[in-house]
Amino acid sequence: MLTYAAGLLMLTVKLALVLGVLLFVAAYLVWVERKFLARLQVRYGPNRAGIFGLLQPIADSLKMLTKEDTVPEDADRIVFLLAPAVVALTALLMFAVVPFGGTVTVWGREIPMVISDINVGLLYIFALSSLGVYGIALGGWASNSKFALLGGIRGAAQLISYELALGLSLVPVVMLAGSFSLVDIVGAQAVKGPFIYYQPLAFIIFAIAAAAESMRIPFDLPEAENELGAGFHMEYSGMRFGLFFIGEYVHVQVLGALIAVFFLGGWHGPFLPGPVWLLIKILLVSLFMIWMRGTLPRLRYDQLMAIGWKVLIPLALVNIVVTGAFVLI
Amino acid sequence: MTVYAILFYILAGLILITTGLAITRRNMVHTVIYLVFSFFGSAMLFYLLGAPLLAALEVIIYAGAIMILFLFIIIMMREESPETRLFVPRQWLPAAAIGLLYLALGVLLILSADPTTGEPMKLAQATPAAFGEYLFNAHWLTIEIASLLLLVALIGALHLGREGKGGDARKTEETS
C-alpha cells in the first residue's frame, strides 16, 4: 500500500512538473516567436512590458483570462464551447509518452523519467494527432460562420493530405529500433547513434509532415489570415481563443520533442543532464519552425495535397522498402 | 464481480448508449461526434481485453481518419437536420426484419452456449510483434484478399475521377 501511495505521489509530481514546463515554455515560445519574427522583418517586436518585453506573455494571458467569453448567435453552443479544449488537450496528452531522461533514484526507488511507457507509444501519438483535428473542424463548423466553416473544412482536408506520410515516414524508425515504445527507440539510438544518420529521407518527410500538422505558415491553410480572417477560430474570444493558442504552441514543442526522440537521439547528449538536452533540441526545432514561418509563403490547397500524395507518400514507401531490405540483410 | 468485469459493463453500456444516440440524431455532425465516442469505447474495450495495438489502430483508423473524412463530406454538403423522414417504410421494414433476425439469433446463441462461456475470459497481453506475427502467419490469405479489394476500389475511384474522353469530369464540374 505504501509503495502504491509513493508511486502515485511520484506520478503526480511528474505530471505537475511536465505540465508546468510545457505551459511555461508555450507562453515564452510566443514571446520568442514574436521577437524572432520581428527581427527577421527588421522590427523590434514586443518591448514595452518588462525588459526586452519579457513580461509580455504574462500580460497577454491576463488579458485573455479577463476578456469576455462570447458565443455567437445560432452557434452550436456545446460543440463551440468544447472544441478549443480538444485542441489543447490532445496536444498536452501527446507528451505523456515522450521520455525526458533515464532513471533517477529517489529514496532507493528507481523512477523512470517518462510519464507512461506504453508499448504502442508511437501509435498513441498518431491517435492523438488525428483527434486534434476534431477541435479545428468542429470549432469551425460550430461557429456558424462561413469563414470559420471554410477553415474547419480545410483543417480536415489538410489532415487527409499529410497524415499518411507522417505515419509511413516513421515505419523505418520502428524497423531499426524494433519497437513502438518511445523509450526503446531512444535506447536503440544510444547504441546505434542518432537515426538521422541512417534515415535522412525519413527525417525530411517527417519534418515536412510535422510542420503541416502544426498548422503554421507555410501550412496554415485553416487559419490563413489574409484569405479567411482567422479561419476556424475567427469567432472565438478570451481564454477559448487562448486555448487554441496554447494548443498550437504545445504542439510545436511536442513535434520538436518527437523529432528529437525519433531522429536526434532523444535526451542523450554529452555533459548536460537528459531533460536539458531534450529542451535544447525542442527549442532548436521550434526556432527552425519560426524561421520557416518568417521565410516561406503559404501553400495553396491543391499544392499541399499534391505534395502530400504525389511526393511524400511515394518517397516514404520507397524508403520503407529500401530500409526493409537493409534490415533483412 | 472483478474490477475488469465492472469496467467491461461500463464500457459496453457507453458503446450502446453512444451508438444509439448516433443513429437517432437528426444533426449529422452530432451523429459523427457520437460515433467517434462509440469508437473510443470499442478501443478501450480492446485495451481491456489485452490488445493495445488493436486499440490504437481503432482510434487512428476509425475515430481518426475515416470519421474525419465523414465529417469533411457532411460539413461540405451542409445538409443539416432534414425535415422529412429519412427512411420510407419500404426501406424501413426489411431493415427491421433483418435486425430482428440478428437479435433472435444472438439470444439463441447465448441461451444455447455451454456453461464454460459464463466464466470470465482470461486476461492476455498481446505485444504488437506477437499480434503481427499471428496475423500474418495464420491469416495471410484473408489480408491479401482484403488488400486486393482495396486495390480494386482504388482503381475504381481513379477511373471515376479521371477526365473522360470528352472531359466528362470537367463538364460536370462546370455545370454543377
Side-chain angles (χ1 to χ4, degrees), chain A residues 86-124:
Chain A
V86 174
V87 172
L89 194 72
T90 48
L92 285 169
L93 280 177
M94 263 194 238
F95 211 83
V97 291
V98 175
F100 44 89
T103 51
V104 284
T105 316
V106 182
W107 301 315
R109 286 171 56 89
E110 289 251 308
I111 295 163
M113 299 271 267
V114 56
I115 289 172
S116 171
D117 176 23
I118 52 178
N119 64 3
V120 288
L122 196 142
L123 297 174
Y124 166 86

Side-chain angles (χ1 to χ4, degrees), chain A residues 76 79 118-120 123-124 126-127 130-131 133-134 137-138 141 144 149 153 156-157 159-160 163 180 301, chain B residues 27 29-30 33 36 40 47 52-53 56 59-60 63-65 67-69 71-72 75-76 78 80 127-128:
Chain A
D76 193 310
V79 178
I118 52 178
N119 64 3
V120 288
L123 297 174
Y124 166 86
F126 285 147
S130 57
L131 291 177
V133 178
Y134 278 109
L138 289 174
W141 170 80
N144 195 28
L149 183 77
I153 290 176
L159 175 92
I160 297 162
E163 200 191 25
F180 280 125
Y301 201 84
Chain B
N27 190 325
V29 176
H30 289 177
I33 297 172
V36 169
F40 262 133
Y47 195 84
L53 182 74
V59 175
I60 295 171
M67 279 296 118
I68 280 285
L69 213 59
L71 195 67
F72 179 59
I75 292 179
M76 286 261 267
R78 281 299 263 182
E80 287 158 33
T127 59

Side-chain angles (χ1 to χ4, degrees), chain A residues 23 52 77 102 147 158 179 188 217:
Chain A
L23 291 179
F52 304 121
R77 202 178 161 82
F147 286 124
Q158 187 162 334
S179 170
I217 294 172

Side-chain angles (χ1 to χ4, degrees), chain A residues 120-127 170 173-174 179-182 185 262:
Chain A
V120 288
L122 196 142
L123 297 174
Y124 166 86
I125 284 174
F126 285 147
L170 287 182
V173 170
V174 176
S179 170
F180 280 125
S181 155
L182 269 63
I185 290 174
F262 293 137

